[in-house]
């Protein structure tokens, strides 16, 4: 892998059926990371999996309440895929009960972020991921 240092672009996929949430996250990422982050979006899990297969993703933000297969099923398929299984996946969901978060972590989400999205929590979680990648390279 070529080390691109701090100018390295982060490619993030957001799977979300609510266009307002997609716009919000797009705005947050743009204002925080500018051109260092590229956001791909899908409004259902099937399209999300297609995009995951077609791109080199650094992170997937995954809604749980989705039309067709839900976020748990999308996560299960990602984790069952040899190529995609190591991509970090953060749940981004309105299911905010403590037991929901436990279920989410048990299911294998790397982070469980609840709506309304905390900008600080989202950015800190992504920054931690970037720092982690840097250590590994
Ligand atoms: Mn949803």
């Amino acid at each position: 892998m070529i080390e691109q240092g701090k100018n390295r672009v982060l490619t993030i996929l957001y799977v979300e059926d609510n266009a307002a949430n997609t716009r919000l996250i797009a705005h947050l990422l743009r204002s925080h990371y500018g051109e260092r982050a590229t956001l791909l979006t899908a409004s259902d899990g099937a399209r999300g999996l297609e995009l995951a297969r077609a791109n080199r993703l650094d992170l997937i933000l995954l809604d749980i309440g989705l039309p067709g297969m839900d976020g748990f099923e999308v996560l299960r398929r990602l984790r069952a895929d040899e190529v995609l299984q190591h991509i970090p996946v953060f749940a981004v969901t309105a299911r905010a009960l403590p037991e929901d978060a436990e279920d989410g972590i048990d299911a294998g989400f790397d982070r469980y972020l609840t709506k309304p999205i905390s900008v600080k929590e989202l950015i800190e979680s992504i920054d931690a991921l970037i720092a982690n990648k840097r250590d590994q390279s």
Side-chain angles (χ1 to χ4, degrees):
M1 263 256 241
I2 300 163
E3 175 58 82
Q4 296 169 54
K6 64 183 181 184
N7 293 321
R8 176 176 189 293
V9 172
L10 205 62
T11 304
I12 300 172
L13 169 66
Y14 185 25
V15 185
E16 166 67 81
D17 59 320
N18 181 315
N21 285 332
T22 303
R23 281 194 299 273
L24 173 69
I25 294 284
H27 174 77
L28 290 179
L29 293 176
R30 200 179 317 115
S31 46
H32 196 83
Y33 297 106
E35 304 204 332
R36 288 180 297 139
T38 297
L39 183 67
L40 306 175
T41 61
S43 57
D44 64 61
R47 178 69 182 143
L49 288 168
E50 269 178 32
L51 287 174
R53 291 191 187 100
N55 294 275
R56 271 186 159 276
L57 299 176
D58 298 292
L59 172 65
I60 298 173
L61 302 174
L62 183 54
D63 183 23
I64 291 178
L66 289 167
M69 74 180 99
D70 69 8
F72 286 109
E73 178 61 19
V74 176
L75 180 68
R76 199 189 62 71
R77 293 188 189 200
L78 288 166
R79 294 306 193 221
D81 185 299
E82 237 173 60
V83 177
L84 307 179
Q85 64 188 183
H86 299 297
I87 303 170
V89 184
F90 296 173
V92 177
T93 176
R95 299 175 194 201
L97 297 175
E99 54 265 41
D100 291 330
E102 253 172 59
D103 289 348
I105 296 301
D106 287 349
F109 284 106
D110 294 279
R111 301 255 179 159
Y112 193 90
L113 307 175
T114 55
K115 297 171 184 170
I117 289 301
S118 152
V119 178
K120 185 169 181 285
E121 192 183 13
L122 176 68
I123 298 300
E124 281 177 0
S125 300
I126 295 174
D127 284 347
L129 196 78
I130 296 170
N132 194 34
K133 284 182 93 70
R134 200 170 291 139
D135 288 348
Q136 286 168 9
S137 59

